Amino acid sequence: QRDCIPRRSRPLSAQPLVARLPGRLAARSPASGPLSHLPPTSADPADLADPADLADTAMSLLSTLRSRSADLHPRVVDLRRRIHRNPELSRNEHDTAALVADALHEIGLDRVETGIYGTGVLGTLAGGRPGRTVLLRADLDALPIQEETGLDFASQNEGIMHACGHDAHTASLLGTAQILADIRSRVPGTIRFCFQPTEEKIPGGATFMIEEGVLEARGDEPAVDYVLGQHVRPDLPAGAIGVRGGPFMASADEVHVTVRGEGGHAASPH
C-alpha cells in the first residue's frame, strides 16, 4: 500500500535505511548499484525506459498510489480488524484464506489460485505495459497467545492472537492489489500476490509454496524476477519504511536437547 523511494544512496550498514515518504526518486544507471549483479530478467531491454523518463513516470505513478491509498485506508483498516478478530494458527488459516480469495475475486484479478500448500493463496494481475514479473508476499497465520488488549476488535479465538502483525500484512497486500488493479493499464509487467500460510511454524510455508510453483512460469506468464516482502516494525515511525540489501531478518531455528541420566530426588543428594 506504500511505495518507498529512497531519498539518497549510501553504503549499507547493519541498520536499515529509513526512507521518509514522500521521498525523492534517485535515478540510477542500470549498469551500477546493488542490483547490477543480478541475472537478466524476462523483460526485453528494448522495453526499458530511459532513466529520466522512468523517473517522471514513477513520480506520476507515486502520486496516484498515494491518492488511492488514502481513499482505501478505511477499508484496509476494516479488513485488518476483521482478520485480527479471527486469528488462525499455522496450517489452519481456512477462514483467513477464504477472506483473501473472496477479496481478490472481488478486485477482479486475472487469476486467483487457492489451496497452495493447504491454505496458501496466489493472485495474478497482468499489467497493461511490458515489464518484469514481481511477486508481493504477505503471511496469514497467528500465534498461540492469549490476547488481553481490551480492544473492541480483539481476538475472539481463545488462546490465539495476531501478535506479529500478519493481519496488517495481509490487509495491506489486499489494498495493494486493489490499487494496482485500478490502474492496471499503467502497471508494467505482471504482479503476483502471494499469501503464505505457516510463517510462524518451522520450517515455514514459503519453501512448500515455492515447491508448488509460485515462482515458476505459468502459462503465458514468465517466471518471477523479484520477490518483495514486508514486515511491520514498531520502532519505525508511521510513514517510514526501512530498506536494506542482503540478509536482514534473523533465521529462526529449533534446538532439541535430550538429557540422559539417573533418576533421583529433588532433595538429594544436595
Side-chain angles (χ1 to χ4, degrees):
Q1 174 131 335
R2 295 182 236 179
D3 192 4
C4 176
I5 306 295
R7 286 186 172 215
R8 61 190 181 277
S9 301
R10 67 173 184 175
L12 297 174
S13 66
Q15 298 299 319
L17 169 65
V18 177
R20 167 66 64 176
L21 300 182
R24 177 174 58 83
L25 182 66
R28 283 177 175 265
S29 167
S32 64
L35 300 183
S36 59
H37 66 285
L38 294 177
T41 70
S42 58
D44 185 333
D47 295 329
L48 301 180
D50 177 81
D53 293 338
L54 184 61
D56 290 340
T57 300
M59 294 308 295
S60 173
L61 186 58
L62 184 58
S63 176
T64 300
L65 294 176
R66 262 194 224 107
S67 175
R68 291 295 293 130
S69 295
D71 293 341
L72 279 175
H73 182 256
R75 182 184 177 193
V76 172
V77 169
D78 178 67
L79 278 170
R80 182 251 167 171
R81 293 183 177 186
R82 287 169 58 191
I83 297 168
H84 191 90
R85 288 189 188 98
N86 185 30
E88 297 173 297
L89 295 176
S90 303
R91 297 303 305 276
N92 291 285
E93 310 95 332
H94 301 289
D95 290 347
T96 309
L99 180 151
V100 167
D102 288 346
L104 295 179
H105 281 298
E106 181 182 340
I107 289 169
L109 297 188
D110 297 281
R111 183 171 63 248
V112 177
E113 302 170 63
T114 60
I116 305 173
Y117 187 51
T119 50
V121 181
L122 184 70
T124 302
L125 174 71
R129 299 169 54 203
R132 298 175 173 88
T133 299
V134 177
L135 184 144
L136 306 178
R137 173 262 186 198
D139 32 24
L140 300 172
D141 52 336
L143 287 163
I145 295 175
Q146 180 63 40
E147 180 164 3
E148 298 178 350
T149 62
L151 296 169
D152 58 0
F153 56 92
S155 171
Q156 297 175 350
N157 297 340
E158 188 74 17
I160 307 175
M161 177 186 177
H162 270 296
C164 196
H166 297 187
D167 51 342
H169 301 167
T170 296
S172 63
L173 187 53
L174 288 172
T176 301
Q178 179 68 72
I179 292 169
L180 294 179
D182 289 345
I183 60 169
R184 71 172 66 209
S185 64
R186 300 172 64 187
V187 173
T190 299
I191 312 295
R192 294 182 189 174
F193 304 92
C194 180
F195 297 84
Q196 174 202 320
T198 321
E199 191 272 344
E200 298 289 359
K201 191 170 184 179
I202 295 172
T207 297
F208 300 102
M209 292 193 78
I210 291 171
E211 289 176 354
E212 294 195 26
V214 298
L215 301 181
E216 303 298 327
R218 305 169 85 82
D220 295 334
E221 299 169 19
V224 169
D225 294 302
Y226 300 106
V227 177
L228 299 176
Q230 64 169 357
H231 202 292
V232 292
R233 190 176 175 109
D235 56 338
L236 289 181
I241 291 178
V243 180
R244 187 182 189 281
F248 183 27
M249 304 300 288
S251 176
D253 207 340
E254 293 179 341
V255 176
H256 299 268
V257 178
T258 300
V259 178
R260 295 184 175 88
E262 298 180 1
H265 190 279
S268 294
H270 304 296

